[in-house]
Amino acid sequence: MPSTTTAPETDPSKTVVEEVTGWLRLYSDGTVERLTPPGAEPFTVIVPPYTEPRNGVTVHDVTTARGVDVRLYLPAEPPAAAPRPRRRRPLLLHLHGGGFCLSRPSWALYHNFYAPLAAKLDVAGIVSVFLPLAPEYRLPAAIDAGHAALLWLRDVACGDEGNLDPAVERLRDEADFSRVFLIGDSSGGNLVHLVAAHAAAKDDGAGADLHAVRLAGGVLLNPGFAREEKSRSELENPPSLFLTEEMVDKLLALGVPLGMNKDSPYTSPSLVAEAVARLHMPPMLLVVAEKDLLHDPQVEYGEAMARVGKTVETVVSRGAVAHVFYLNFFAVESDPLTAERTRELIDTIKTFIDRY
């Protein structure tokens, strides 16, 4: 298997065959060096798990029997004297972004949004999947990992997981596994669609594969859809720390199977929709940022899904907000517009989950 390193390469026999400025270098021997560009350091800090509640949430890392690791965000248990919730609550399965090539669920980038989200929504918890990264593990590896996480949830729901971590026991006892929602940022938004399609193809509408687990919906937050032909938004909207034209072009090319480009059934908004025309897909919430480089392909995805008869609600975050603006916790804290659009986003997610 190719190896991954975060240390600077000094072997003179190796040459760089691809580079994403500030983020990644791919070498001639297949090794990958992942970097942190100036300004991104606070977002890539690893947040360790913690069992003492912070702001109403605990965080737990779990190695599953399905070959995937997950991070659990659980609302803190009520005090011993307080009544426990009598009803089961929905569950979110989170698929992180990074153009299929970068980032981990344990980054502060995600923690500072998803930990508070677990407290603000009426959910049993949020399960975030540690996805295999390209180019070492190109698609469909991340799709398979997402499906493995769903199978693990099935094992938990059915009592087949064996000795459970106390946090997983709480999840089993409090989650409504018939109301599992996929949620993903950027390329993780693509994976929301792709994992749901994978599950639908396996189940063929009969629920035979996932049994007790039912996908009730999907939330695509600023998904990473794109085509080889540049859209107007890619040409006119400004780049941001989290997305540049170079990142769109190179990360997606490294993420899809060898021999494919952005006009692939993993990234093309029209092709991903056409591929599910005959499948039973859950309702989708599509959230688009007005100044996102990928605004136009995201809107195109919603339109293409409607043409094949699928339920997609498209919500646009208006104003000068760019790709995954809600993950930029400095902007959320300091910029009134970003803060307001983030509050609206959370309300939109809550309303969607409550509806289904």
Side-chain angles (χ1 to χ4, degrees), residues 33 66 69 73 88 153 190 203 211 220 222 263 275 277 301 316 318 336 338 345 352:
E33 182 184 3
R66 288 285 178 176
D69 293 341
Y73 297 97
R88 290 179 175 268
L153 289 179
N190 300 44
D203 282 2
H211 299 298
L220 295 79
N222 305 172
D263 291 332
Y301 164 80
V316 179
R318 300 291 181 185
T338 303
L345 171 64
F352 179 78

PDB file of all heavy atoms in Angstrom, residues 33 66 69 73 88 153 190 203 211 220 222 263 275 277 301 316 318 336 338 345 352:
ATOM      1  N   GLU A  33       2.497  13.584   0.839  1.00  0.00           N
ATOM      2  CA  GLU A  33       2.832  14.509   1.931  1.00  0.00           C
ATOM      3  C   GLU A  33       1.686  15.495   2.079  1.00  0.00           C
ATOM      4  O   GLU A  33       1.370  16.229   1.139  1.00  0.00           O
ATOM      5  CB  GLU A  33       4.130  15.243   1.612  1.00  0.00           C
ATOM      6  CG  GLU A  33       4.590  16.203   2.700  1.00  0.00           C
ATOM      7  CD  GLU A  33       5.840  16.978   2.298  1.00  0.00           C
ATOM      8  OE1 GLU A  33       6.317  16.813   1.154  1.00  0.00           O
ATOM      9  OE2 GLU A  33       6.339  17.756   3.134  1.00  0.00           O
ATOM     10  N   ARG A  66     -16.511  -3.111  11.839  1.00  0.00           N
ATOM     11  CA  ARG A  66     -16.725  -3.036  10.388  1.00  0.00           C
ATOM     12  C   ARG A  66     -15.540  -2.433   9.645  1.00  0.00           C
ATOM     13  O   ARG A  66     -15.622  -2.155   8.449  1.00  0.00           O
ATOM     14  CB  ARG A  66     -17.980  -2.222  10.095  1.00  0.00           C
ATOM     15  CG  ARG A  66     -19.268  -2.948  10.464  1.00  0.00           C
ATOM     16  CD  ARG A  66     -19.595  -4.025   9.466  1.00  0.00           C
ATOM     17  NE  ARG A  66     -20.804  -4.781   9.823  1.00  0.00           N
ATOM     18  CZ  ARG A  66     -21.328  -5.717   9.049  1.00  0.00           C
ATOM     19  NH1 ARG A  66     -20.768  -6.013   7.886  1.00  0.00           N
ATOM     20  NH2 ARG A  66     -22.401  -6.373   9.433  1.00  0.00           N
ATOM     21  N   ASP A  69     -13.275   3.625  11.663  1.00  0.00           N
ATOM     22  CA  ASP A  69     -13.273   4.343  12.928  1.00  0.00           C
ATOM     23  C   ASP A  69     -14.278   5.483  12.836  1.00  0.00           C
ATOM     24  O   ASP A  69     -14.467   6.077  11.763  1.00  0.00           O
ATOM     25  CB  ASP A  69     -11.887   4.902  13.237  1.00  0.00           C
ATOM     26  CG  ASP A  69     -10.862   3.808  13.509  1.00  0.00           C
ATOM     27  OD1 ASP A  69     -11.277   2.669  13.805  1.00  0.00           O
ATOM     28  OD2 ASP A  69      -9.657   4.091  13.396  1.00  0.00           O
ATOM     29  N   TYR A  73     -20.359  12.364  18.670  1.00  0.00           N
ATOM     30  CA  TYR A  73     -20.721  13.563  19.422  1.00  0.00           C
ATOM     31  C   TYR A  73     -22.056  13.256  20.093  1.00  0.00           C
ATOM     32  O   TYR A  73     -23.078  13.057  19.413  1.00  0.00           O
ATOM     33  CB  TYR A  73     -20.897  14.768  18.496  1.00  0.00           C
ATOM     34  CG  TYR A  73     -19.649  15.184  17.747  1.00  0.00           C
ATOM     35  CD1 TYR A  73     -19.432  14.761  16.437  1.00  0.00           C
ATOM     36  CD2 TYR A  73     -18.706  16.024  18.330  1.00  0.00           C
ATOM     37  CE1 TYR A  73     -18.299  15.152  15.735  1.00  0.00           C
ATOM     38  CE2 TYR A  73     -17.575  16.430  17.641  1.00  0.00           C
ATOM     39  CZ  TYR A  73     -17.377  15.982  16.339  1.00  0.00           C
ATOM     40  OH  TYR A  73     -16.265  16.375  15.646  1.00  0.00           O
ATOM     41  N   ARG A  88     -37.102   7.942  21.474  1.00  0.00           N
ATOM     42  CA  ARG A  88     -35.857   7.859  20.727  1.00  0.00           C
ATOM     43  C   ARG A  88     -35.761   9.044  19.761  1.00  0.00           C
ATOM     44  O   ARG A  88     -36.782   9.528  19.259  1.00  0.00           O
ATOM     45  CB  ARG A  88     -35.789   6.537  19.974  1.00  0.00           C
ATOM     46  CG  ARG A  88     -35.606   5.330  20.892  1.00  0.00           C
ATOM     47  CD  ARG A  88     -35.564   4.035  20.118  1.00  0.00           C
ATOM     48  NE  ARG A  88     -35.265   2.909  20.984  1.00  0.00           N
ATOM     49  CZ  ARG A  88     -34.031   2.450  21.222  1.00  0.00           C
ATOM     50  NH1 ARG A  88     -32.992   3.032  20.628  1.00  0.00           N
ATOM     51  NH2 ARG A  88     -33.834   1.428  22.024  1.00  0.00           N
ATOM     52  N   LEU A 153     -23.943   0.774  12.296  1.00  0.00           N
ATOM     53  CA  LEU A 153     -25.138   1.258  12.992  1.00  0.00           C
ATOM     54  C   LEU A 153     -26.199   0.168  13.037  1.00  0.00           C
ATOM     55  O   LEU A 153     -26.903   0.014  14.041  1.00  0.00           O
ATOM     56  CB  LEU A 153     -25.685   2.507  12.299  1.00  0.00           C
ATOM     57  CG  LEU A 153     -24.865   3.790  12.447  1.00  0.00           C
ATOM     58  CD1 LEU A 153     -25.526   4.930  11.687  1.00  0.00           C
ATOM     59  CD2 LEU A 153     -24.671   4.168  13.914  1.00  0.00           C
ATOM     60  N   ASN A 190     -21.064  15.309  -1.650  1.00  0.00           N
ATOM     61  CA  ASN A 190     -21.129  14.310  -2.723  1.00  0.00           C
ATOM     62  C   ASN A 190     -21.348  12.926  -2.124  1.00  0.00           C
ATOM     63  O   ASN A 190     -22.149  12.123  -2.620  1.00  0.00           O
ATOM     64  CB  ASN A 190     -19.828  14.268  -3.526  1.00  0.00           C
ATOM     65  CG  ASN A 190     -19.468  15.569  -4.201  1.00  0.00           C
ATOM     66  OD1 ASN A 190     -19.570  16.642  -3.598  1.00  0.00           O
ATOM     67  ND2 ASN A 190     -19.023  15.507  -5.445  1.00  0.00           N
ATOM     68  N   ASP A 203     -30.206  -2.264  -1.275  1.00  0.00           N
ATOM     69  CA  ASP A 203     -31.488  -2.620  -0.671  1.00  0.00           C
ATOM     70  C   ASP A 203     -32.560  -2.879  -1.707  1.00  0.00           C
ATOM     71  O   ASP A 203     -33.500  -3.640  -1.468  1.00  0.00           O
ATOM     72  CB  ASP A 203     -31.964  -1.487   0.250  1.00  0.00           C
ATOM     73  CG  ASP A 203     -31.238  -1.491   1.577  1.00  0.00           C
ATOM     74  OD1 ASP A 203     -30.360  -2.339   1.771  1.00  0.00           O
ATOM     75  OD2 ASP A 203     -31.548  -0.630   2.409  1.00  0.00           O
ATOM     76  N   HIS A 211     -31.540  -3.476   7.204  1.00  0.00           N
ATOM     77  CA  HIS A 211     -32.469  -3.984   8.214  1.00  0.00           C
ATOM     78  C   HIS A 211     -33.035  -2.851   9.072  1.00  0.00           C
ATOM     79  O   HIS A 211     -33.823  -2.051   8.583  1.00  0.00           O
ATOM     80  CB  HIS A 211     -31.791  -5.046   9.082  1.00  0.00           C
ATOM     81  CG  HIS A 211     -31.326  -6.245   8.322  1.00  0.00           C
ATOM     82  ND1 HIS A 211     -32.172  -7.079   7.634  1.00  0.00           N
ATOM     83  CD2 HIS A 211     -30.070  -6.755   8.138  1.00  0.00           C
ATOM     84  CE1 HIS A 211     -31.487  -8.043   7.052  1.00  0.00           C
ATOM     85  NE2 HIS A 211     -30.212  -7.867   7.329  1.00  0.00           N
ATOM     86  N   LEU A 220     -26.745  17.921   2.181  1.00  0.00           N
ATOM     87  CA  LEU A 220     -25.549  18.223   1.400  1.00  0.00           C
ATOM     88  C   LEU A 220     -25.192  19.683   1.630  1.00  0.00           C
ATOM     89  O   LEU A 220     -25.894  20.597   1.164  1.00  0.00           O
ATOM     90  CB  LEU A 220     -25.788  17.978  -0.092  1.00  0.00           C
ATOM     91  CG  LEU A 220     -26.055  16.548  -0.566  1.00  0.00           C
ATOM     92  CD1 LEU A 220     -27.505  16.126  -0.288  1.00  0.00           C
ATOM     93  CD2 LEU A 220     -25.791  16.424  -2.065  1.00  0.00           C
ATOM     94  N   ASN A 222     -22.919  22.618   0.826  1.00  0.00           N
ATOM     95  CA  ASN A 222     -21.942  23.132  -0.148  1.00  0.00           C
ATOM     96  C   ASN A 222     -21.177  22.002  -0.829  1.00  0.00           C
ATOM     97  O   ASN A 222     -19.941  21.955  -0.797  1.00  0.00           O
ATOM     98  CB  ASN A 222     -20.950  24.084   0.526  1.00  0.00           C
ATOM     99  CG  ASN A 222     -21.587  25.236   1.281  1.00  0.00           C
ATOM    100  OD1 ASN A 222     -20.897  25.965   1.971  1.00  0.00           O
ATOM    101  ND2 ASN A 222     -22.895  25.417   1.176  1.00  0.00           N
ATOM    102  N   ASP A 263     -15.858  15.040 -15.064  1.00  0.00           N
ATOM    103  CA  ASP A 263     -17.073  14.556 -15.725  1.00  0.00           C
ATOM    104  C   ASP A 263     -17.264  13.074 -15.402  1.00  0.00           C
ATOM    105  O   ASP A 263     -17.308  12.212 -16.280  1.00  0.00           O
ATOM    106  CB  ASP A 263     -16.985  14.777 -17.240  1.00  0.00           C
ATOM    107  CG  ASP A 263     -17.035  16.249 -17.609  1.00  0.00           C
ATOM    108  OD1 ASP A 263     -17.645  17.037 -16.851  1.00  0.00           O
ATOM    109  OD2 ASP A 263     -16.450  16.620 -18.645  1.00  0.00           O
ATOM    110  N   ALA A 275     -27.691   8.708 -12.512  1.00  0.00           N
ATOM    111  CA  ALA A 275     -27.373   7.363 -12.013  1.00  0.00           C
ATOM    112  C   ALA A 275     -28.392   6.846 -11.010  1.00  0.00           C
ATOM    113  O   ALA A 275     -28.461   5.640 -10.765  1.00  0.00           O
ATOM    114  CB  ALA A 275     -25.978   7.361 -11.392  1.00  0.00           C
ATOM    115  N   ALA A 277     -31.769   7.576 -11.175  1.00  0.00           N
ATOM    116  CA  ALA A 277     -33.117   7.774 -11.723  1.00  0.00           C
ATOM    117  C   ALA A 277     -34.065   6.643 -11.340  1.00  0.00           C
ATOM    118  O   ALA A 277     -35.252   6.873 -11.095  1.00  0.00           O
ATOM    119  CB  ALA A 277     -33.045   7.927 -13.238  1.00  0.00           C
ATOM    120  N   TYR A 301     -27.101  20.372  -9.662  1.00  0.00           N
ATOM    121  CA  TYR A 301     -27.418  19.078  -9.047  1.00  0.00           C
ATOM    122  C   TYR A 301     -28.872  19.036  -8.599  1.00  0.00           C
ATOM    123  O   TYR A 301     -29.589  18.053  -8.875  1.00  0.00           O
ATOM    124  CB  TYR A 301     -26.491  18.820  -7.858  1.00  0.00           C
ATOM    125  CG  TYR A 301     -26.966  17.716  -6.940  1.00  0.00           C
ATOM    126  CD1 TYR A 301     -26.758  16.375  -7.254  1.00  0.00           C
ATOM    127  CD2 TYR A 301     -27.632  18.012  -5.744  1.00  0.00           C
ATOM    128  CE1 TYR A 301     -27.197  15.362  -6.408  1.00  0.00           C
ATOM    129  CE2 TYR A 301     -28.071  17.007  -4.893  1.00  0.00           C
ATOM    130  CZ  TYR A 301     -27.853  15.681  -5.235  1.00  0.00           C
ATOM    131  OH  TYR A 301     -28.305  14.680  -4.394  1.00  0.00           O
ATOM    132  N   VAL A 316     -30.417  28.610  -0.348  1.00  0.00           N
ATOM    133  CA  VAL A 316     -29.232  29.407  -0.662  1.00  0.00           C
ATOM    134  C   VAL A 316     -28.921  30.343   0.500  1.00  0.00           C
ATOM    135  O   VAL A 316     -29.797  31.094   0.958  1.00  0.00           O
ATOM    136  CB  VAL A 316     -29.426  30.216  -1.959  1.00  0.00           C
ATOM    137  CG1 VAL A 316     -28.180  31.053  -2.258  1.00  0.00           C
ATOM    138  CG2 VAL A 316     -29.732  29.287  -3.133  1.00  0.00           C
ATOM    139  N   ARG A 318     -27.521  33.566   1.426  1.00  0.00           N
ATOM    140  CA  ARG A 318     -27.315  34.782   0.647  1.00  0.00           C
ATOM    141  C   ARG A 318     -26.205  35.657   1.216  1.00  0.00           C
ATOM    142  O   ARG A 318     -25.887  35.599   2.396  1.00  0.00           O
ATOM    143  CB  ARG A 318     -28.613  35.594   0.582  1.00  0.00           C
ATOM    144  CG  ARG A 318     -29.793  34.858  -0.052  1.00  0.00           C
ATOM    145  CD  ARG A 318     -29.572  34.651  -1.532  1.00  0.00           C
ATOM    146  NE  ARG A 318     -30.699  33.977  -2.174  1.00  0.00           N
ATOM    147  CZ  ARG A 318     -30.709  33.599  -3.430  1.00  0.00           C
ATOM    148  NH1 ARG A 318     -29.644  33.827  -4.199  1.00  0.00           N
ATOM    149  NH2 ARG A 318     -31.764  32.989  -3.948  1.00  0.00           N
ATOM    150  N   PRO A 336     -20.706  39.416  11.590  1.00  0.00           N
ATOM    151  CA  PRO A 336     -22.146  39.280  11.844  1.00  0.00           C
ATOM    152  C   PRO A 336     -22.890  38.529  10.737  1.00  0.00           C
ATOM    153  O   PRO A 336     -23.794  37.745  11.037  1.00  0.00           O
ATOM    154  CB  PRO A 336     -22.621  40.733  11.947  1.00  0.00           C
ATOM    155  CG  PRO A 336     -21.404  41.512  12.357  1.00  0.00           C
ATOM    156  CD  PRO A 336     -20.248  40.825  11.687  1.00  0.00           C
ATOM    157  N   THR A 338     -21.699  36.149   8.625  1.00  0.00           N
ATOM    158  CA  THR A 338     -21.381  34.723   8.710  1.00  0.00           C
ATOM    159  C   THR A 338     -22.089  34.092   9.896  1.00  0.00           C
ATOM    160  O   THR A 338     -22.617  32.967   9.801  1.00  0.00           O
ATOM    161  CB  THR A 338     -19.864  34.509   8.816  1.00  0.00           C
ATOM    162  OG1 THR A 338     -19.216  35.125   7.700  1.00  0.00           O
ATOM    163  CG2 THR A 338     -19.523  33.028   8.846  1.00  0.00           C
ATOM    164  N   LEU A 345     -28.522  28.365   8.893  1.00  0.00           N
ATOM    165  CA  LEU A 345     -28.196  27.020   8.414  1.00  0.00           C
ATOM    166  C   LEU A 345     -28.610  25.966   9.439  1.00  0.00           C
ATOM    167  O   LEU A 345     -29.236  24.950   9.093  1.00  0.00           O
ATOM    168  CB  LEU A 345     -26.698  26.930   8.124  1.00  0.00           C
ATOM    169  CG  LEU A 345     -26.127  25.544   7.826  1.00  0.00           C
ATOM    170  CD1 LEU A 345     -26.727  24.978   6.553  1.00  0.00           C
ATOM    171  CD2 LEU A 345     -24.608  25.595   7.720  1.00  0.00           C
ATOM    172  N   PHE A 352     -35.537  20.485   8.618  1.00  0.00           N
ATOM    173  CA  PHE A 352     -35.533  19.354   7.699  1.00  0.00           C
ATOM    174  C   PHE A 352     -35.619  18.039   8.470  1.00  0.00           C
ATOM    175  O   PHE A 352     -36.408  17.151   8.119  1.00  0.00           O
ATOM    176  CB  PHE A 352     -34.264  19.408   6.849  1.00  0.00           C
ATOM    177  CG  PHE A 352     -34.120  18.274   5.874  1.00  0.00           C
ATOM    178  CD1 PHE A 352     -34.839  18.257   4.689  1.00  0.00           C
ATOM    179  CD2 PHE A 352     -33.247  17.223   6.140  1.00  0.00           C
ATOM    180  CE1 PHE A 352     -34.702  17.210   3.781  1.00  0.00           C
ATOM    181  CE2 PHE A 352     -33.100  16.172   5.242  1.00  0.00           C
ATOM    182  CZ  PHE A 352     -33.833  16.175   4.059  1.00  0.00           C
TER     183      PHE A 352
END
